[in-house]
């Protein structure tokens, strides 16, 4: 188990909010006044969705799905579980997937393939607050991301360790043997 004393702050709340505001501006430019469907991948992306959506000016719908991929405490299993992936009809819609972090990329690929297989969307893009590029196992790049990060295990602002610390207002990294 870890305690809050093991967490080193990487991005404070002000830094996070500033970056999200910038992302919001870019998305407003991209979509203009077109209807946008935001697909929030629970649970980790919930804080990001809430704060990002407040900057968006187009008419938008919010959909929530639940996927899980993490096997052990600090490592991505590479296998994606669709816990709840019920979605409305996305044919002909602009769809933007909202993720907290892309790590190996398996979750992103699974979801993009799932949507492509089931719908002919007008557009399909991916927006992740964090991008752990160095850990990528499948070829995939987010269309939008906030911060690129090293190979560290992060918690806070939606990200969890064993279900905890999602409520921290900052993003921090945990120094552990397993995380190295
Ligand atoms: P991927 O399938 O390996 O790209 O992993 C994506 C998912 O794993 C993310 O949506 C997160 O929920 C989780 N994840 C990846 N890295 C971290 C981390 O450093 N801390 C907490 N969760 C993470
Ligand atoms: Mg996630």
């Amino acid at each position: 188990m870890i305690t809050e004393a093991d967490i080193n702050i990487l991005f404070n709340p002000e830094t996070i909010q500033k970056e999200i505001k910038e992302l919001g501006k870019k998305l407003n430019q991209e979509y203009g006044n077109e209807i946008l469907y935001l697909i929030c991948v629970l649970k980790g992306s919930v804080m990001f969705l809430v704060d990002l959506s407040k900057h968006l000016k187009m008419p938008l719908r919010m959909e929530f799905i639940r996927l899980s991929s993490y096997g052990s405490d600090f490592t991505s299993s590479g296998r994606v579980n669709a816990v709840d992936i019920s979605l409305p009809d996305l044919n002909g819609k602009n769809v933007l997937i909202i993720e907290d972090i892309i790590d190996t990329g398996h979750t992103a690929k699974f979801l993009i393939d799932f949507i492509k297989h089931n719908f002919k969307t007008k557009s399909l893009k991916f927006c992740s607050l964090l991008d752990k590029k160095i850990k990528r196992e499948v070829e995939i790049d987010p269309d939008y991301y906030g911060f690129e990060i090293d190979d560290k295990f992060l918690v806070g602002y939606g990200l969890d360790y064993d279900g905890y610390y999602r409520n921290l207002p900052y993003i921090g990294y945990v120094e552990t043997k397993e995380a190295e």
Side-chain angles (χ1 to χ4, degrees):
M1 196 55 199
I2 59 165
T3 70
E4 217 176 316
D6 302 312
I7 303 171
N8 306 285
I9 296 181
L10 192 57
F11 302 116
N12 64 36
E14 294 71 32
T15 308
I16 296 170
Q17 294 307 326
K18 205 168 152 240
E19 189 59 33
I20 290 176
K21 194 173 173 189
E22 288 307 309
L23 281 173
K25 277 189 201 160
K26 289 182 195 161
L27 294 171
N28 285 328
Q29 275 170 14
E30 159 120 26
Y31 295 101
N33 204 34
E34 292 200 24
I35 295 171
L36 181 62
Y37 279 67
L38 298 179
I39 313 288
C40 172
V41 185
L42 293 174
K43 302 172 185 169
S45 310
V46 71
M47 301 274 188
F48 181 39
L49 172 92
V50 167
D51 288 336
L52 178 68
S53 63
K54 287 185 243 176
H55 294 289
L56 300 181
K57 296 188 163 62
M58 72 292 285
L60 62 82
R61 310 287 285 262
M62 293 180 187
E63 302 298 333
F64 298 85
I65 62 167
R66 229 178 123 191
L67 303 176
S68 72
S69 73
Y70 256 50
S72 64
D73 288 345
F74 294 110
T75 44
S76 191
S77 66
R79 285 185 308 275
V80 180
N81 280 329
V83 182
D84 175 6
I85 199 168
S86 44
L87 285 167
D89 181 2
L90 297 175
N91 287 303
K93 313 291 191 207
N94 291 306
V95 177
L96 181 66
I97 298 169
I98 304 293
E99 258 286 33
D100 47 358
I101 185 167
I102 306 195
D103 183 7
T104 63
H106 287 289
T107 305
K109 188 172 185 317
F110 173 89
L111 186 51
I112 289 167
D113 288 351
F114 178 86
I115 292 175
K116 280 189 178 158
H117 181 80
N118 287 283
F119 308 102
K120 208 169 168 5
T121 58
K122 180 172 182 192
S123 67
L124 176 59
K125 295 208 169 180
F126 202 96
C127 176
S128 183
L129 179 61
L130 300 155
D131 187 356
K132 233 188 248 183
K133 277 197 202 319
I134 196 167
K135 289 278 295 289
R136 206 72 95 249
E137 290 174 9
V138 294
E139 215 174 297
I140 191 151
D141 250 332
D143 300 281
Y144 296 94
Y145 68 90
F147 306 99
E148 185 175 337
I149 42 154
D150 302 333
D151 184 11
K152 290 201 161 76
F153 189 81
L154 306 182
V155 292
Y157 197 70
L159 296 159
D160 73 301
Y161 166 75
D162 196 23
Y164 294 96
Y165 301 114
R166 294 190 197 277
N167 57 312
L168 298 177
Y170 57 86
I171 294 171
Y173 65 92
V174 183
E175 215 126 30
T176 64
K177 277 223 160 64
E178 296 103 302
E180 278 154 19

